């Protein structure tokens, strides 16, 4: 059996090695390192793939979130509501811009921001909601967009973990994750579903005026060379990273398909165990659909009940099987983001999740033998303590 890894980037590279070398050579020969043809080609291809009017490439996913907030004109003192259960990047940029993060609890089945908690947290100072499409499926966008409309708020989708996922709106229209709110932000960090070989990110929007503003901000606030109209940043996707993404984007659907196949195999092997709650596919899809991309399994994350999670993590580690705990400490308890107004009773779900979740190895190269070994090891542990 091949050594089990959380993410197997070497295995995936072997299949695309030649194509990557070829494109790298072109970039090196042309010395078009910044904003070269690879970047422009990637921008157009991603716009077509997502069915969105504008893609603005940038340097990483954290920048994408920050630039979205700058581009929407959010100002110090404005409140931005986001999920307590997510990677810190989301809340970090809110705080960095002098905006006020307002963390709210998530839903127990999907781990997504809870629209009821969002509504309760809205004040006259609230300007935006940042739902995070966690682990590969989308937050409840119908409810969130309705709240945003009612209270005149912006919605910035953190789509770092769900590129390629779809969301079917209440009116039946199918949209790609990240293209539903006012701005979507994504990351091409190597381990994401669409990852480059370093850092990369992008913003999406269907709004021409917002797109224009964002394009200036990523490039020092310049709309005309050496005219700085707004305060900007230097945040570019470089051509070598775009070259990798140009090779991988056409394969994204098949990559996501193999992730779904692995998720299905995990589900089959682990279903019905009293100590486990398997990941739930929400947004109108039951189970794991063959034909639909409602969940792209950035992570396969299950809940381990009865206080057995940490023991399971240690047991798997002792067998050389990696696993991850995303996320072990809720953001409302992180030193940088503690606020006196937060009460533990406001975050019952996140608090439980931080003690229960485990993410199993998930990538495009997992095979049946590896999944069999992982799931047998899990069941052995649970059935013998
Ligand atoms: C990875 C990630 C980010 C940050 O992306 P970087 O490219 O690493 O800056 C932001 N939000 C979420 C939910 C992520 O998973």
């Amino acid at each position: 059996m091949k050594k089990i890894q959380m993410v197997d980037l070497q295995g995936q590279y072997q299949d695309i090695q030649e194509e990557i070398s070829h494109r790298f050579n072109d970039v090196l020969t042309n010395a078009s390192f910044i904003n070269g043809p690879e970047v422009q080609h990637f921008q157009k291809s991603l716009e077509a793939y997502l069915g969105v009017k504008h893609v603005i490439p940038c340097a990483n996913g954290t920048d994408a979130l920050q630039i979205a907030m700058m581009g929407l004109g959010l100002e110090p003192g404005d409140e931005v509501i986001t999920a307590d259960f997510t990677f810190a990047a989301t809340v970090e940029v809110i705080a960095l811009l002098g905006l006020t993060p307002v963390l709210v609890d998530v839903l127990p089945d999907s781990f997504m921001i809870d629209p009821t908690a969002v509504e309760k947290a809205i004040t006259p100072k609230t300007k935006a909601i940042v739902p995070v499409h966690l682990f590969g499926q989308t937050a409840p966008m119908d409810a969130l967009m309705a709240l945003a409309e009612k209270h005149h708020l912006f919605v910035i989708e953190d789509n770092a973990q769900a590129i390629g996922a779809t969301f079917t709106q209440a009116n039946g229209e199918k949209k790609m994750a990240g293209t539903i709110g006012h701005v979507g932000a994504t990351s091409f960090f190597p381990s994401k579903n669409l990852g480059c070989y370093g850092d990369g990110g992008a913003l999406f929007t269907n709004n021409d005026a917002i797109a224009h503003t964002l394009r200036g901000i990523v490039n020092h606030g310049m709309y005309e060379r050496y005219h700085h109209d707004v305060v900007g940043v230097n945040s570019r996707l470089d051509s070598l990273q775009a070259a990798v993404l140009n090779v991988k984007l056409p394969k994204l659907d098949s990559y996501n398909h193999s992730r779904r196949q692995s998720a299905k195999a995990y589900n089959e092997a682990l279903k019905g165990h009293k100590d486990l709650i398997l990941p739930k596919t929400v947004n109108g899809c039951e189970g794991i659909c063959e034909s639909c991309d409602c969940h792209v399994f950035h992570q396969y994350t299950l809940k381990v009940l009865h206080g057995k999670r940490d023991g399971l993590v240690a047991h798997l580690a002792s067998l050389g099987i990696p696993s991850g705990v995303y996320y072990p400490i809720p953001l409302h308890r992180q030193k940088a983001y503690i606020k006196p107004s937060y009460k533990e009773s406001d975050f019952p779900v996140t608090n439980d999740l931080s003690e229960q979740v485990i993410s199993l190895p998930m990538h495009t190269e997992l095979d049946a033998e590896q999944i069999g070994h992982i799931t047998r090891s899990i069941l052995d542990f649970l059935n013998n303590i």
Side-chain angles (χ1 to χ4, degrees):
M1 188 176 62
K2 260 197 324 186
K3 183 175 179 299
I4 298 174
Q5 302 184 65
M6 205 55 197
V7 175
D8 181 1
L9 293 173
Q10 287 142 320
Q12 192 189 59
Y13 173 61
Q14 278 168 13
D15 281 347
I16 52 177
Q17 199 165 4
E18 268 181 40
E19 243 183 298
I20 298 267
S21 301
H22 181 74
R23 282 188 181 255
F24 272 14
N25 262 332
D26 277 355
V27 174
L28 299 177
T29 312
N30 300 330
S32 50
F33 300 118
I34 300 284
N35 268 337
E38 291 284 351
V39 178
Q40 277 150 37
H41 179 73
F42 175 64
Q43 179 193 320
K44 295 279 170 246
S45 313
L46 190 58
E47 284 166 355
Y49 176 82
L50 294 172
V52 72
K53 234 167 139 184
H54 305 281
V55 165
I56 300 100
C58 67
N60 59 67
T62 309
D63 275 8
L65 289 164
Q66 177 183 328
I67 292 159
M69 288 173 209
M70 292 169 76
L72 293 171
L74 303 191
E75 288 181 355
D78 289 348
E79 292 177 358
V80 179
I81 300 174
T82 193
D84 191 28
F85 190 65
T86 175
F87 180 58
T90 327
V91 66
E92 177 179 275
V93 299
I94 299 173
L96 196 65
L97 292 173
L99 312 173
T100 306
V102 177
L103 297 169
V104 300
D105 208 7
V106 296
L107 296 164
D109 283 343
S110 64
F111 317 150
M112 302 292 173
I113 194 165
D114 179 352
T116 313
V118 171
E119 183 152 36
K120 268 199 218 141
I122 293 172
T123 74
K125 287 186 178 166
T126 308
K127 290 288 157 56
I129 310 170
V130 186
V132 181
H133 300 325
L134 205 68
F135 300 154
Q137 59 184 338
T138 46
M141 290 305 290
D142 282 330
L144 295 169
M145 293 308 291
L147 277 179
E149 197 168 325
K150 183 168 153 200
H151 297 276
H152 309 289
L153 309 175
F154 290 116
V155 174
I156 301 165
E157 299 174 70
D158 182 342
N159 196 35
Q161 301 189 5
I163 196 149
T166 56
F167 177 79
T168 306
Q169 295 176 306
N171 65 7
E173 203 184 330
K174 207 179 206 183
K175 291 256 178 89
M176 299 303 285
T179 68
I180 305 156
H182 299 88
V183 180
T186 203
S187 161
F188 305 120
F189 186 79
S191 64
K192 308 284 175 172
N193 290 38
L194 178 62
C196 56
Y197 294 165
D199 278 308
L203 295 126
F204 327 133
T205 184
N206 282 307
N207 181 304
D208 297 341
I210 294 175
H212 174 75
T213 306
L214 296 175
R215 286 214 165 88
I217 292 175
V218 298
N219 188 26
H220 302 291
M222 281 195 292
Y223 297 92
E224 201 183 320
R225 203 161 168 75
Y226 300 124
H227 294 250
H228 303 273
D229 296 355
V230 295
V231 176
V233 293
N234 171 14
S235 186
R236 293 179 287 233
L237 179 70
D238 72 66
S239 302
L240 287 169
Q241 300 308 335
V244 175
L245 294 166
N246 281 326
V247 175
K248 289 174 77 171
L249 179 60
K251 303 178 193 300
L252 178 59
D253 284 345
S254 81
Y255 287 157
N256 285 339
H257 180 75
S258 50
R259 287 172 178 272
R260 254 193 320 279
Q261 292 303 110
S262 296
K264 234 176 133 168
Y266 276 134
N267 275 1
E268 271 307 303
L270 298 173
K271 71 178 174 212
H273 198 283
K274 65 173 181 11
D275 293 331
L276 301 177
I277 297 182
L278 303 185
K280 190 149 190 246
T281 306
V282 291
N283 300 324
C285 285
E286 293 291 324
I288 298 171
C289 332
E290 284 293 332
S291 55
C292 118
D293 294 305
C294 49
H295 199 327
V296 296
F297 287 95
H298 175 61
Q299 300 292 348
Y300 182 88
T301 303
L302 59 165
K303 294 194 252 185
V304 185
L305 307 179
H306 312 125
K308 296 182 183 178
R309 196 267 316 267
D310 292 342
L312 177 61
V313 170
H315 175 74
L316 293 176
S318 74
L319 299 173
I321 300 173
S323 64
V325 172
Y326 312 122
Y327 298 93
I329 306 170
L331 291 177
H332 78 271
R333 276 196 246 139
Q334 299 282 0
K335 271 191 213 150
Y337 305 112
I338 288 173
K339 274 205 294 203
S341 58
Y342 292 145
K343 298 191 294 289
E344 286 306 318
S345 57
D346 290 333
F347 305 99
V349 179
T350 303
N351 284 340
D352 280 351
L353 291 176
S354 63
E355 290 170 12
Q356 295 174 337
V357 289
I358 179 172
S359 299
L360 301 182
M362 175 51 83
H363 51 80
T364 54
E365 314 301 307
L366 267 184
D367 63 35
E369 191 188 8
Q370 293 174 314
I371 292 174
H373 180 63
I374 297 164
T375 53
R376 271 192 307 277
S377 307
I378 292 171
L379 296 176
D380 273 353
F381 173 79
L382 295 176
N383 294 335
N384 288 306
I385 54 163

